[in-house]
Amino acid sequence: MITKELLPIIATCKNSIEFFVLKILKAEPSKQQLAVLRDIDAGYKDIAIKSGHGTGKTAMMSWVILWVGLFKLDAKIPTTAPTAPQLVRLLLPEVRKWSDKLPDELIDAVTVKNDSIAFANDNVCVARTARKEAPEGLQGFHATFLTWIIDEASGVPNAIFEVIDGSLTGNTHLRLMTANPTRADGYFFDAFHKNRELWRCHTFN
């Protein structure tokens, strides 16, 4: 049950992921993570992050999933990566870890399953592998607030990004893609080069 004291805090969370991360999750974001959170609060819809290992990108993606799932209306959050372990062994457990830090009034609003996350407000996050031979597995996602989380994006086939681009029919969406920049071509590479004006780009050192 949401207490009277928590209501104004929740109202602030709806409009600020930075507030949610700092005040509700009690996290301590790095300067790099904080820059992305502030870009989301500023209204940037398409964010790309070059990152090595151990920079906190998985934690940050988890914060985004929880924030959107808990506080946005009619939200769907498809998450994808080239391999299933990236999602089911890394990302979803990270979401579970941070959901355990929610206050008692919110903790029961999140149920992390093997390949999906259900929210009490009927929002949902699903994990789907990005396979070139089966792009239809990522079709059919429509919502008032559609949020795509694309991990290891440099290994995601262009055919998958075509499906993702085709789903963005409304004005309200968020795309967050991260990867180790191991390739000098492809959709992720182009976000930092010839398509840079379309993306808010970050580098996590």
Side-chain angles (χ1 to χ4, degrees), residues 152-163:
E152 301 300 337
S154 60
V156 172
N158 281 2
I160 298 298
F161 282 109
E162 290 174 7
V163 171

Side-chain angles (χ1 to χ4, degrees), residues 137-162:
L138 287 167
Q139 291 177 343
F141 289 107
H142 302 285
T144 302
F145 198 99
L146 184 60
T147 299
W148 283 95
I149 305 290
I150 308 148
D151 199 9
E152 301 300 337
S154 60
V156 172
N158 281 2
I160 298 298
F161 282 109
E162 290 174 7

